[in-house]
């Protein structure tokens, strides 16, 4: 089973990209499990609609749950889990992720559903250790980071690399697979992402343009591989999916930016837009 984690700043389009990649992999015949690790619990909405979260089910059932309560079948034979989060002002979302992943392992979800690919969709704004649980103890083979050329998005991506360094050792099997660009329309935005990826030391494996077609299919809660399978954007997502399935370069060494260096690079290349 191939296990990957996709991190990125909240609101950067990480879940839209994750769901489109899941759909592309599923269209190739793989059984894909997408696990949403964001308290907002909308990672899998494009695949299976709105579903109860794992943590809500545990609260409602006194800490007990069956697989059918928390694993929801989506389009293209996908499997979907939303871990969810604590009630507002109570508890820790990171600990919720830890609890959710432990339960999925206890219930043997991967074997019982015949999962070929497990994709964790993880919030990247928060540096709490629980949000790095998917990459600890062999839970993930490769990490991919979604970012635009906006400073706040790059800052989150840089922090994710720092968290990665603090969460793994040089001998751990988990690798940094690459950056996935999600453009916001800034000047020289692709160059910003290329410069960032080169400094960090991992490849830029794909750049998704700002396109109303993506927004339209997101609003319709349907991935491009289903709604518009012959489109250029579907082909682009398929290319990124193939690079994830067959990575050419991956490592577990990163060189994060110094804060001021990152700010200076982003401002110089964009003309101080999107800071």
């Amino acid at each position: 089973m191939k296990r990957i984690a996709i991190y990125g700043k909240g609101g950067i389009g990480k879940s839209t990209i994750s769901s489109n990649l899941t759909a592309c992999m599923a269209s190739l015949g793989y059984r894909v499990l997408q696990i949403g690790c964001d308290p907002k619990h909308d990672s899998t909405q494009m695949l299976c609609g709105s579903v109860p979260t794992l943590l809500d089910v545990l609260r409602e059932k006194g800490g007990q749950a069956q697989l059918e309560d928390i694993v929801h079948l989506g389009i293209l034979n996908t499997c979907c889990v939303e871990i969810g989060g604590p009630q507002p002002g109570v508890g820790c979302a990171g600990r919720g992720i830890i609890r959710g992943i432990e339960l999925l392992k206890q219930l043997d979800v991967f074997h019982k559903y015949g999962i070929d690919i497990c994709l964790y969709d993880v919030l990247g704004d928060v540096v709490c250790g629980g949000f790095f649980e998917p990459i600890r103890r062999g839970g993930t083979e490769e990490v991919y980071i979604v970012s635009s050329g906006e400073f706040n998005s790059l800052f989150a991506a840089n922090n994710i690399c720092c968290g990665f360094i603090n969460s793994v050792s040089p001998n751990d099997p988990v690798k940094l697979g690459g950056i996935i660009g999600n453009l916001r329309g800034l000047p020289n935005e692709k160059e910003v992402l290329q410069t960032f990826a080169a400094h960090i030391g991992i490849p830029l494996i794909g750049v998704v343009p700002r396109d109303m077609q993506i927004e339209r299919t997101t609003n319709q809660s349907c991935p491009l591989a289903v709604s518009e399978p012959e489109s250029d954007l579907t082909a682009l997502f398929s290319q990124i999916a193939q690079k994830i399935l067959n990575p050419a370069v991956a490592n577990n060494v990163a060189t994060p930016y110094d804060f001021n260096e990152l700010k200076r690079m982003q401002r110089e290349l964009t003309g101080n837009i999107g800071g």
Side-chain angles (χ1 to χ4, degrees), residues 3 5 33 59 69 73 84-85 100 108 110 116 135 149 194 201 203-204 209 221 241-242 247 249:
R3 297 159 296 181
L33 168 65
R59 282 189 286 265
D69 297 325
L73 300 182
D108 198 18
F110 309 109
D116 300 307
I135 69 175
Q194 290 170 332
L204 179 64
S221 295
Q242 289 286 1
V249 179

Side-chain angles (χ1 to χ4, degrees), residues 87-99:
Q87 296 175 341
V90 179
C92 168
R95 290 185 62 83
I97 292 174
I98 294 172
R99 177 71 181 97

Side-chain angles (χ1 to χ4, degrees), residues 82-163:
E82 290 286 354
I83 290 182
Q87 296 175 341
V90 179
C92 168
R95 290 185 62 83
I97 292 174
I98 294 172
R99 177 71 181 97
I101 292 175
E102 287 176 346
L103 179 61
L104 292 173
K105 290 180 179 178
Q106 290 169 9
L107 295 175
D108 198 18
V109 61
F110 309 109
H111 178 261
K112 290 182 178 177
Y113 282 87
I115 301 301
D116 300 307
I117 302 167
C118 178
L119 184 154
Y120 294 96
D121 174 6
V122 193
L123 179 67
D125 298 81
V126 183
V127 292
C128 162
F131 284 89
F132 289 93
E133 184 66 14
I135 69 175
R136 291 196 175 101
R137 294 192 291 273
T140 299
E141 295 169 325
E142 293 152 24
V143 172
Y144 295 87
I145 303 172
V146 177
S147 181
S148 70
E150 299 165 306
F151 178 76
N152 287 341
S153 180
L154 293 170
F155 178 76
N158 201 58
N159 267 352
I160 292 163
C161 290
C162 293

